[in-house]
C-alpha cells in the first residue's frame, strides 16, 4: 500500500481521531481486537435501521430482506475464503467455532450421530487415539482439545517449541503418526507473530488421515487465507480481529466433515422434523446455527471483508511484511529488551511480544499508555508458551492495516525509554 493509501485508510477509522492522555492514539493492539472502519459501522447500523427482522420462515417483506442480507454475508465470506457457502458457519467467535468442532467430534465419539443422513462414526475418537496440538496455541485452541481428550479417552500430545520460538518439526514428524486423529494448530502465533510452516505439518497429518484444524485468528486479517489451498479441514477466525464486529466468528469446515458432524447446540431453525422423541437435522450450515442468528454482525463482517478486499490481502500482507521487519529491527536494538521468538527464521506478521529486563510488562504498558500507545500486556491467553520462554507475562505490540512506519518508530522509541524511566541503566538487569 502506498502512504497515500494508508492515509486514506486511516481517515476511514473514526477511532484514530481520538487522543489519549493528550497524545494522538497509536493503536498497537489489533491482535486483541481490531478497530472498525466507517463502512463496517455503517453496514451494521444501516441494517438495524432499515432491514432488521428474524430471518427464514418469515412471510413478510423485511424477513425476506434480512434473510437475503444474512445469506449474502455468508456468500461474501465464502468467496473471501474460496469455499462453498454451505461450508461457512457463523458462530459467536473463534472460541465458539473451535468448541463446536471439538464438541461435535466428542458427540460423534459417543456413538450419537446427527440423524439418518450422516456418517459421524468415521470421525469418532477412541481410547488410544491421539489429538495433536502445539505448545504455542492460544488457550482457545488448546482447552477444547483437552476436554475432547477427557471425554473420549484419547491422548492429547503436543509439538514442542524450540528455543528460538519456532515449532520442533523433527519432533512433529515423530509425534504425528498412525494414532493421530486430529492436528489442531494456529496459522500465526499470537505471541511471536511467526507463521506456522503448514507446508511441513499438514502433509504429516494427511499421510495418516488425521483431520487438520487451523486457528486462523491471527492470519485472517494479515495474510491471504485459502483453506483449500492449505489443505485443512477446518479454519476458524473471529470477525472482530478482521475489522468487523464483535459477536461473530467464522467456522469453515470441509463439506464432507460438516455433513457428518452432529450439532453442537440444539433448538430451532436447525431441524427438518421433530417428534416428542427425536429430531432430524438440516444439513450444514443450518445444523450448526440454531436460534436467531447474528444478523447485523454478519452484515458488518461482510462489510469488513469488502473493506480488506478493496486493497487485496496480498498487498496488505506485503505492506505489513515491511512493518514486521521494521518492528523487529527496532526492538532488537533496544538494550535490555528481549523479543520472544526473535531468532525464529519463519516469516512473521507485524506483531511482537517483548520482555523488558527489570520491568514488569504491566508497568511497561503503563508507560506506553501515558504516550497514547495502546499495547497489550499479560500472557495473551498463551500460558504454556510463556512458560516455555521462562516468563509469566510480556508486552505485545501488534499492527493493523492503518499502522504507519512512524507509529512503529514512536512505539520503539517509547520502549527504549522504559528502562531509563525506571532508573535502569543500559544492560543492567534487576
Ligand atoms: N486464537 C488466537 C490465535 C487468538 O489470538 C485469539 C484471540 N486472542 C483466539 C483464538 C480467540 O479469539 P476470540 O476471543 O475472538 O474467540
Amino acid at each position: 500500500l502506498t502512504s497515500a493509501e494508508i492515509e486514506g485508510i486511516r481517515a476511514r477509522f473514526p477511532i484514530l481521531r481520538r487522543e489519549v492522555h493528550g497524545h494522538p492514539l497509536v493503536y498497537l493492539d489489533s491482535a486483541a481486537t481490531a478497530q472498525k472502519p466507517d463502512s463496517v459501522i455503517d453496514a451494521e447500523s444501516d441494517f438495524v435501521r432499515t432491514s432488521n427482522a428474524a430471518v427464514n420462515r418469515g412471510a413478510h417483506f423485511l424477513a425476506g430482506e434480512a434473510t437475503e442480507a444474512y445469506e449474502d454475508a455468508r456468500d461474501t465470506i465464502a468467496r473471501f475464503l474460496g469455499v462453498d457457502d454451505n461450508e461457512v458457519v457463523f458462530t459467536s467467535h473463534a472460541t465458539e467455532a473451535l468448541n463446536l468442532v471439538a464438541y461435535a467430534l466428542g458427540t460423534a465419539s459417543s456413538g450419537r450421530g446427527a440423524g439418518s443422513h450422516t456418517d459421524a462414526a468415521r470421525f469418532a475418537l477412541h481410547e488410544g487415539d491421539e489429538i495433536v496440538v502445539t505448545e504455542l496455541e492460544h488457550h482457545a485452541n488448546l482447552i477444547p482439545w483437552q476436554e475432547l481428550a477427557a471425554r473420549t479417552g484419547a491422548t492429547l500430545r503436543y509439538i514442542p517449541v524450540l528455543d528460538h520460538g519456532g515449532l520442533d518439526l523433527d519432533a512433529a514428524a515423530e509425534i504425528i503418526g498412525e494414532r493421530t486423529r486430529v492436528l489442531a494448530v494456529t496459522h500465526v502465533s499470537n505471541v511471536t507473530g511467526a507463521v506456522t510452516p503448514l507446508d511441513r505439518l499438514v502433509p504429516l497429518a494427511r499421510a495418516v488421515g488425521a483431520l487438520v484444524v487451523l486457528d486462523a485468528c491471527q492470519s485472517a486479517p494479515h495474510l491471504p487465507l485459502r483453506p483449500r489451498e492449505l489443505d485443512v479441514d477446518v479454519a476458524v477466525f473471529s470477525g472482530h480481529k478482521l475489522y468487523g464486529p464483535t459477536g461473530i466468528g467464522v467456522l469453515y469446515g470441509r463439506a464432507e466433515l460438516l455433513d457428518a458432524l452432529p450439532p453442537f447446540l440444539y433448538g430451532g431453525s436447525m431441524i427438518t422434523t421433530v417428534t416428542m422423541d427425536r429430531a432430524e437435522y438440516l444439513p450444514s450450515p443450518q445444523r450448526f446455527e440454531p436460534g436467531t442468528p447474528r444478523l447485523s454482525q454478519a452484515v458488518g463482517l461482510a462489510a469488513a471483508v469488502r473493506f480488506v478486499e478493496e486493497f487485496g490481502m496480498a498487498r496488505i500482507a506485503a505492506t505489513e511484511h515491511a512493518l514486521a521487519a521494521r518492528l523487529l529491527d527496532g526492538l532488537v536494538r533496544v538494550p535490555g529488551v528481549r523479543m520472544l521468538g526473535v531468532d525464529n527464521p519463519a516469516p512473521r506478521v507485524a506483531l511482537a511480544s517483548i520482555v523488558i529486563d527489570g520491568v514488569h510488562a504491566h508497568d511497561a504498558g503503563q508507560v506506553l499508555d501515558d504516550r497514547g500507545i495502546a499495547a497489550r500486556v499479560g500472557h495473551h491467553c498463551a500460558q504454556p508458551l510463556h512458560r516455555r520462554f521462562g516468563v509469566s507475562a510480556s508486552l505485545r505490540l501488534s499492527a493493523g492495516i492503518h499502522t504507519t512506519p512512524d507509529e512503529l518508530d514512536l512505539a520503539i522509541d517509547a520502549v527504549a525509554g522504559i528502562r531509563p524511566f525506571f532508573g535502569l541503566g543500559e544492560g543492567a538487569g534487576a
Side-chain angles (χ1 to χ4, degrees):
L1 306 175
T2 64
S3 43
E5 277 175 304
I6 294 173
E7 278 316 304
I9 287 169
R10 292 180 66 79
R12 293 168 65 178
F13 282 81
I15 210 163
L16 296 180
R17 288 182 217 121
R18 277 210 66 174
E19 293 205 336
V20 171
H21 304 311
H23 300 277
L25 169 66
V26 176
Y27 189 75
L28 292 175
D29 200 15
S30 290
T33 200
Q35 297 300 348
K36 290 103 189 55
D38 280 319
S39 58
V40 168
I41 301 165
D42 291 347
E44 248 196 301
S45 74
D46 287 350
F47 175 83
V48 176
R49 283 169 196 281
T50 64
S51 307
N52 183 56
V55 295
N56 305 325
R57 297 176 313 278
H60 61 83
F61 179 82
L62 281 185
E65 203 168 270
T67 305
E68 204 170 304
Y70 185 61
E71 292 305 326
D72 277 357
R74 192 191 310 282
D75 187 55
T76 300
I77 312 302
R79 279 189 295 101
F80 179 61
L81 299 175
V83 304
D84 294 336
D85 285 15
N86 64 349
E87 296 178 310
V88 172
V89 175
F90 287 123
T91 62
S92 50
H93 38 44
T95 300
E96 188 187 88
L98 291 164
N99 275 274
L100 186 162
V101 175
Y103 186 89
L105 287 170
T107 306
S109 309
S110 73
R112 285 188 65 82
S116 52
H117 50 285
T118 61
D119 186 16
R122 280 178 55 208
F123 298 101
L125 281 87
H126 305 287
E127 208 167 322
D129 287 340
E130 293 178 353
I131 302 164
V132 177
V133 295
T134 82
E135 199 175 7
L136 52 72
E137 297 309 313
H138 187 282
H139 299 162
N141 197 31
L142 171 60
I143 305 173
W145 306 114
Q146 294 175 345
E147 287 298 313
L148 177 62
R151 282 178 79 193
T152 59
T155 304
L156 185 75
R157 300 189 67 188
Y158 67 87
I159 302 167
V161 164
L162 294 168
D163 287 342
H164 71 37
L167 291 173
D168 185 340
L169 295 175
D170 293 335
E174 300 279 313
I175 290 166
I176 300 171
E178 290 302 327
R179 290 165 180 261
T180 310
R181 301 302 312 279
V182 178
L183 169 67
V185 60
T186 195
H187 196 183
V188 167
S189 164
N190 72 318
V191 175
T192 68
V195 182
T196 303
L198 293 176
D199 55 334
R200 301 285 303 279
L201 292 179
V202 175
L204 297 173
R206 282 286 167 246
V208 296
L211 285 177
V212 181
V213 176
L214 187 69
D215 176 353
C217 280
Q218 296 297 345
S219 58
H222 307 296
L223 307 171
L225 177 63
R226 312 296 279 187
R228 286 193 184 151
E229 285 166 32
L230 296 171
D231 196 20
V232 298
D233 300 286
V234 169
V236 308
F237 64 89
S238 280
H240 69 95
K241 293 181 201 269
L242 183 68
Y243 312 106
T246 48
I248 188 143
V250 169
L251 162 64
Y252 156 76
R254 199 157 48 81
E256 187 197 357
L257 173 67
L258 291 187
D259 283 342
L261 283 185
F264 171 46
L265 298 173
Y266 298 83
S269 306
M270 64 180 292
I271 49 83
T272 52
T273 324
V274 181
T275 65
M276 286 314 292
D277 304 322
R278 60 191 306 275
E280 302 264 344
Y281 308 117
L282 285 165
S284 175
Q286 283 77 24
R287 179 187 304 170
F288 302 106
E289 294 181 359
T292 305
R294 305 145 186 98
L295 300 179
S296 61
Q297 292 89 337
V299 168
L301 178 56
V305 164
R306 284 194 297 275
F307 167 71
V308 291
E309 282 182 331
E310 274 181 52
F311 310 98
M313 291 311 300
R315 288 183 73 219
I316 292 170
T319 305
E320 293 186 359
H321 189 68
L323 288 181
R326 194 178 188 106
L327 185 60
L328 183 142
D329 292 347
L331 289 173
V332 296
R333 285 208 198 93
V334 182
V337 165
R338 169 183 166 213
M339 182 178 146
L340 301 181
V342 66
D343 296 323
N344 181 1
R348 64 184 79 230
V349 302
L351 177 163
S353 297
I354 57 172
V355 179
I356 303 172
D357 202 4
V359 182
H360 195 279
H362 289 79
D363 296 329
Q366 199 68 54
V367 176
L368 297 193
D369 185 57
D370 286 343
R371 294 179 62 169
I373 302 169
R376 178 128 308 233
V377 297
H379 52 61
H380 322 307
C381 301
Q383 280 188 5
L385 182 59
H386 277 77
R387 205 167 290 124
R388 174 66 181 84
F389 284 127
V391 297
S392 59
S394 62
L395 179 144
R396 182 178 73 188
L397 300 169
S398 58
I401 190 171
H402 45 68
T403 304
T404 65
D406 286 351
E407 285 183 305
L408 292 187
D409 292 350
L410 200 82
I412 292 161
D413 186 57
V415 166
I418 291 172
R419 296 189 79 244
F421 178 86
F422 288 104
L424 298 167
E426 219 167 278

